[in-house]
Amino acid sequence: MCGIVGMIGQVGTKEILLKGLEKLEYRGYDSAGIALVGENVRTFKEVGRIQALRDIVPADAEGTIGIGHTRWATHGVPSVPNAHPHQSTTGRFTLVHNGVIENDEQLKATLDVPFLSETDTEVIVQLMEKHFVELGDVEAAFRKTLSDLHGSYAIAMIDSEDQERLYIGKNKSPLLVGLGDGTFNVVASDAMAMLQVTDQYLELHDGEIVILTREAATIKTLDGEVLERAPYTAEIDASDIEKGTYAHYMLKEMDEQPAVIRNIIQHYQNENGDIELTEGVRELVSEADRIYIVACGTSYNAGLVGKDILERIAGIPTEVHVSSEFGYNMPLLSEHPLFVFLSQSGETADSRAVLVEVKKRGYKALTMTNVPGSTLSREANETMLLHAGPEIAVASTKAYTAQIAVLAILAYDIARATGKELPFDLMPELARVATIMDSIMAQKELFEDLAERYLKTTPNTFFIGRGLDASVCLEGALKVKEISYIQAEGYPGGELKHGSIALIEDGTPVIALISQPKTNLNIRGNVKEVVARGANACIISMQGVEHENDDFILPHVEPLLAPLINVLPVQLMAYYAALARGCDVDKPRNLAKSVTVE
Ligand code: M6R
């Protein structure tokens, strides 16, 4: 999704901005641009990759103030006119914007200027110019402009006649100020973009602006009241966001899964080997009579697995909801609901909209996220971190397994507190899961072969399973769809005969996941049904429920934790299918890593 970088203060600003934009590439974008203030403002914009932008920025373009942007189209096609930065008619103000302005049409109607783009952003910079003419003061005009906007925005603006200030504003879209060494300061929508120059950041809240100079960052409200805030250290190791020797971030991140599970064990276990959660989290869950998991995409799929674990282990009724639906169609709630927001990034706008509504109604929320200090983390009552390290690939992999492991830890802690009988010892079993994950990842080439055999040329595929396996099938189908563009369905095996089996033809690949003893015979029956109609069935099973001719037999783990293991083959098959089909694995079309618009 859109990304922002900005800098005031240094020779070499251009390169820092371009490098920053490259660090934001993983978020997904379709065009990019930068503006540099030197003797005058020079703006460069291009459709496609940052490299294409680099190619058009002349070597002599420099400036000590600059802003940059990666755009993920919402209003208008990817094109040079629609790319940011946008400039006011006189050229005095230039800005970049993330988010969606909901009243852009109404505002446009009040302005008598030509609009050169289809974006909702251009109206902001034209409005700025109008207010500046009326008020004669840049900061006052900036504050007035932001007060007129309805919707979400993160904005960085430069004034061509002032080389001493950068103007920043935020509402419902992420934006951080990075503090330099006294000779420069920066701004970015994601700390990763500016880790190259600083690890000290100031968190911004909605409805705040910042006047950034080389030496200082002054935070103010839209009424002009000055606010004090201490910086924090971004605890991201810059090497974590490098690909190293891997061909793709997705491959690196799949490979990291055993280490992530070990990391989670270490963070949530005390020296006696007992699960240790904060008192805050324990208090929150102890008050709940029902859990509502709210999430999107892969996080939603992890939530489905979490529901089964929470209900079976902790005995607490749990519902799982897609954020974009839940926000507008809230079901009847129990008397003491606890909302659990699952989000790798902690910035997903659909989930955040629900959190705002939940808080308005006076309910409590727990966020499980991979990003400390993210919006969903800050705004919830409590946070449980995933400790998975930065996830860069658009296709989420290690966050999925991390979320399931952390949900299992929560379930076990609730069960312990309420005196429930525990079916197995969780932490040692998670440690075994990590070892088994290692062994699966060491056999990658087998899944490359399966992807070649079943997915390389097919236009469509089904993933089928029962119970927990059916939840993993949804994740398998999502992975295949998003990176290899194959039409894929994840289905409970028994449901196929109620309609979708009509799609099975000669050679349709059907990938069956079989790990649950209770439904082993049922799913095998479902496989026979599709094979009888011509399907090309690939069976991935687990020791204990295996048949001799299955395509791959996974080592046995406790059935409740099987999703942690059988998701690996489907992640790997999706990855190798995308490679075989010539797709751009880490930057799939139309997608963004962090979806910060509703
Ligand atoms: O950051 P989040 O976990 O809130 O993101 C939710 C989804 O956008 C995300 O899981 C998406 O579905 C992934 N690209 C799937 O691989």
Side-chain angles (χ1 to χ4, degrees):
M1 202 120 293
C2 303
I4 286 178
V5 291
M7 175 159 202
I8 175 162
Q10 265 193 355
V11 179
T13 293
K14 176 181 73 184
E15 191 49 32
I16 291 172
L17 293 181
L18 287 169
K19 281 216 177 92
L21 291 180
E22 279 160 0
K23 296 287 178 208
L24 294 179
E25 282 194 290
Y26 79 96
R27 297 168 68 100
Y29 68 105
D30 43 56
S31 52
I34 57 169
L36 297 161
V37 191
E39 277 180 11
N40 45 36
V41 182
R42 296 177 76 182
T43 301
F44 307 95
K45 312 201 270 192
E46 195 48 281
V47 174
R49 292 289 150 86
I50 304 299
Q51 188 53 50
L53 175 65
R54 271 189 181 282
D55 293 344
I56 62 156
V57 180
D60 69 347
E62 252 316 338
T64 53
I65 307 191
I67 50 179
H69 191 261
T70 49
R71 174 172 188 260
W72 187 80
T74 57
H75 293 57
V77 295
S79 67
V80 170
N82 287 339
H84 302 210
H86 290 281
Q87 217 160 46
S88 61
T89 305
T90 63
R92 167 113 193 213
F93 301 106
T94 307
L95 61 76
V96 289
H97 160 233
N98 288 354
V100 174
I101 303 305
E102 287 157 11
N103 58 339
D104 61 326
E105 291 301 331
Q106 292 94 306
L107 293 171
K108 269 184 196 166
T110 67
L111 297 167
D112 187 20
V113 288
F115 283 89
L116 308 178
S117 75
E118 304 160 90
T119 66
D120 56 338
T121 297
E122 201 183 347
V123 73
I124 309 173
V125 75
Q126 300 291 14
L127 196 60
M128 174 66 205
E129 175 107 25
K130 177 182 169 219
H131 288 324
F132 174 66
V133 171
E134 288 160 3
L135 300 170
D137 178 81
V138 177
E139 185 194 318
F142 189 61
R143 286 195 270 111
K144 171 94 177 83
T145 301
L146 300 197
S147 316
D148 287 347
L149 304 179
H150 296 171
S152 54
Y153 59 78
I155 292 171
M157 184 189 80
I158 48 182
D159 172 1
S160 62
E161 293 186 15
D162 182 357
Q163 300 214 12
E164 303 302 322
R165 279 170 203 81
L166 195 60
Y167 295 84
I168 294 159
K170 171 195 158 22
N171 192 49
K172 298 195 208 161
S173 283
L175 199 63
L176 298 166
V177 165
L179 299 179
D181 58 4
T183 64
F184 74 93
N185 281 313
V186 292
V187 56
S189 52
D190 182 331
M192 284 197 208
M194 284 298 169
L195 275 184
Q196 47 170 332
V197 289
T198 182
D199 65 355
Q200 294 300 301
Y201 288 87
L202 276 180
E203 173 187 297
L204 302 183
H205 300 165
D206 289 348
E208 293 179 350
I209 66 158
V210 182
I211 312 298
L212 203 61
T213 63
R214 288 174 177 77
E215 306 83 21
T218 310
I219 307 177
K220 294 188 179 180
T221 63
L222 288 182
D223 296 328
E225 185 195 337
V226 176
L227 304 169
E228 295 299 330
R229 190 160 305 141
Y232 69 91
T233 304
E235 282 165 14
I236 311 170
D237 182 341
S239 65
D240 281 351
I241 59 175
E242 300 300 334
K243 264 201 311 238
T245 54
Y246 282 92
H248 298 100
Y249 280 110
M250 184 180 174
L251 187 60
K252 173 175 181 260
E253 289 160 8
M254 287 189 292
D255 249 350
E256 284 169 354
Q257 292 179 103
V260 169
I261 298 295
R262 293 186 183 106
N263 217 6
I264 288 171
I265 296 172
Q266 207 189 333
H267 275 93
Y268 286 106
Q269 182 175 258
N270 62 22
E271 58 276 13
N272 304 323
D274 299 325
I275 291 173
E276 192 162 281
L277 303 187
T278 62
E279 278 316 308
V281 171
R282 285 186 165 155
E283 206 182 306
L284 216 57
V285 292
S286 71
E287 294 163 359
D289 61 0
R290 183 174 283 257
I291 289 179
Y292 296 81
I293 296 178
V294 181
C296 313
T298 288
S299 297
Y300 170 81
N301 292 340
L304 293 175
V305 174
K307 168 191 160 70
D308 271 31
I309 301 179
L310 280 158
E311 291 192 336
R312 289 201 231 163
I313 299 294
I316 181 159
T318 303
E319 297 179 17
V320 194
H321 293 270
V322 167
S323 311
S324 54
E325 284 300 309
F326 194 84
Y328 298 95
N329 300 296
M330 223 179 255
L332 276 181
L333 300 176
S334 66
E335 215 166 313
H336 301 290
L338 170 65
F339 292 87
V340 175
F341 288 86
L342 279 189
S343 175
Q344 187 285 131
S345 63
E347 299 294 352
T348 302
D350 287 326
S351 299
R352 203 243 172 168
V354 180
L355 176 56
V356 169
E357 182 58 30
V358 158
K359 282 175 65 183
K360 218 190 284 168
R361 295 182 184 210
Y363 297 124
K364 302 272 176 64
L366 163 67
T367 288
M368 288 186 180
T369 181
N370 202 24
V371 184
S374 56
T375 306
L376 287 172
S377 167
R378 282 199 321 267
E379 296 183 355
N381 301 75
E382 295 292 332
T383 295
M384 287 177 77
L385 290 174
L386 301 180
H387 299 292
E391 193 181 62
I392 309 289
V394 167
S396 183
T397 52
K398 61 178 178 173
Y400 175 83
T401 37
Q403 281 166 339
I404 293 173
V406 174
L407 281 162
I409 288 172
L410 179 67
Y412 261 70
D413 199 64
I414 300 174
R416 178 207 47 78
T418 50
K420 299 259 170 350
E421 201 178 313
L422 298 171
F424 58 91
D425 222 352
L426 180 64
M427 291 313 209
E429 188 62 8
L430 281 178
R432 233 169 56 74
V433 161
T435 308
I436 291 168
M437 282 176 156
D438 276 326
S439 74
I440 296 168
M441 295 314 285
Q443 301 175 71
K444 290 188 191 76
E445 59 300 334
L446 297 179
F447 301 104
E448 189 171 0
D449 288 349
L450 291 180
E452 184 86 17
R453 251 177 46 218
Y454 291 97
L455 299 176
K456 186 176 177 182
T457 54
T458 186
N460 63 347
T461 186
F462 281 85
F463 285 82
I464 63 168
R466 311 280 294 233
L468 280 166
D469 292 336
S471 299
V472 181
C473 286
L474 291 179
E475 178 56 9
L478 179 60
K479 287 287 88 80
V480 164
K481 275 185 274 210
E482 68 178 326
I483 58 169
S484 66
Y485 316 144
I486 299 169
Q487 173 77 47
E489 298 259 14
Y491 238 76
E495 181 64 11
L496 276 177
K497 59 184 176 291
H498 297 288
S500 303
I501 203 165
L503 294 172
I504 303 289
E505 315 181 313
D506 248 3
T508 305
V510 175
I511 297 156
L513 297 184
I514 307 183
S515 71
Q516 303 296 308
K518 198 161 74 178
T519 48
N520 184 18
L521 295 180
N522 312 66
I523 186 68
R524 293 213 179 254
N526 302 140
V527 172
K528 286 199 182 113
E529 287 159 10
V530 291
V531 168
R533 285 154 182 86
N536 194 9
C538 167
I539 298 183
I540 297 171
S541 65
M542 188 166 275
Q543 278 168 0
V545 292
E546 82 276 23
H547 280 189
E548 203 185 329
N549 293 330
D550 292 346
D551 290 76
F552 191 85
I553 300 167
L554 298 157
H556 178 265
V557 294
E558 284 293 338
L560 209 49
L561 299 184
L564 290 172
I565 295 298
N566 62 15
V567 76
L568 267 51
V570 300
Q571 291 172 344
L572 284 164
M573 283 175 76
Y575 171 78
Y576 287 115
L579 276 191
R581 295 165 78 100
C583 303
D584 188 343
V585 174
D586 279 341
K587 299 189 193 87
R589 70 184 179 206
N590 303 341
L591 294 178
K593 179 63 181 166
S594 184
V595 185
T596 49
V597 292
E598 271 189 69

